[in-house]
Amino acid sequence: MTLLVHDVTLTYPDGDARLTALDRVGLEVAAGEVVAVVGPSGSGKSSLLAVAATLVTPDSGRVVVAGQDTAGLSAAEKSALRRERIGIVFQQPSLLAALTAAEQLQVMAHLAGRPSRGLRRRALELLDAVGLADKADKRPHQLSGGQRQRVNIARALMNEPAVLLVDEPTSALDHERGAAVLDLLVGLTRERSTATVLVTHDRGHLAAADRVTAMHDAHLTPA
Ligand code: ADP
Ligand code: MG
């Protein structure tokens, strides 16, 4: 299993008490598979992605990414694992204003310490895969919201992640553009064999997923 979240409980401090964001949650995602997570606001969806991304350490339970058990990894080891094995797409594309679309991708590979040779070619190939071949030299302000989100997705794939975590990628887009971004994510998952977790509240998009799970009050169940 490329992504394994096993029996994870996560609490946050809440005044004198603790708020349970994830209550014994389990999730397994294979390479090439898209699992959707739906659920109301505040139910724990983003917390699940944060745990799977190793950005947050759960109170208990296990997270295994591409065969690597993340328990006991140092902060530096986790950050290396994130850079090299995990692609993360957040709700709002956080692109760097000064960089072109191609450079947004290239910088990811630089951060991961990859040799610069061939990086531009790889960035162009990914931008082509998300339908932005002709926008490689545009800066974020020259792109539409949907185009920026596609750059964001291409960027998450730059280091060939095993796991792709996507949090409400279409919330800033209209329905049609949102559907196109979802189709793109499913296509890329198959083509690049990522284990993809897709948080969405747009139920109209769920047909594209291989499996749908529902988060409710910190619990995850098949939908
Ligand atoms: P969703 O993504 O489904 O809207 P979240 O995972 O963001 O849900 O939040 C789940 C619960 O945890 C909510 O009650 C939220 O207020 C709380 N929460 C999320 N992040 C934090 C945090 N960093 N500190 C404290 N409470 C948090
Ligand atoms: Mg959220």
Side-chain angles (χ1 to χ4, degrees), residues 12-13 19-21 39-48 167-168 199 215:
Y12 296 114
L19 182 150
T20 302
S41 179
S43 57
K45 305 182 299 297
S46 294
S47 296
L48 173 59
D167 201 351
E168 308 202 18
V199 168
M215 186 74 85

Side-chain angles (χ1 to χ4, degrees), residues 167-179:
D167 201 351
E168 308 202 18
T170 65
S171 58
L173 307 178
D174 63 42
H175 185 80
E176 200 174 315
R177 297 222 178 279

Side-chain angles (χ1 to χ4, degrees), residues 14-70:
D14 181 25
D16 293 339
R18 310 280 304 176
L19 182 150
T20 302
L22 298 173
D23 194 353
R24 305 199 64 174
V25 164
L27 179 68
E28 295 187 8
V29 189
E33 187 183 30
V34 180
V35 176
V37 179
V38 295
S41 179
S43 57
K45 305 182 299 297
S46 294
S47 296
L48 173 59
L49 288 194
V51 164
T54 76
L55 288 165
V56 170
T57 304
D59 302 40
S60 60
R62 273 192 336 136
V63 176
V64 183
V65 174
Q68 169 89 63
D69 194 330
T70 61

Side-chain angles (χ1 to χ4, degrees), residues 15 18 30 40 60 69 88 94 129 149 166 182 185 189 203:
R18 310 280 304 176
S60 60
D69 194 330
I88 304 175
S94 54
Q149 190 55 291
V166 188
L182 265 276
L185 280 167
T189 297
R203 289 188 166 265

Side-chain angles (χ1 to χ4, degrees), residues 108-119:
M108 296 306 284
H110 281 298
L111 290 174
R114 306 263 173 118
S116 349
R117 241 182 107 87
L119 285 190

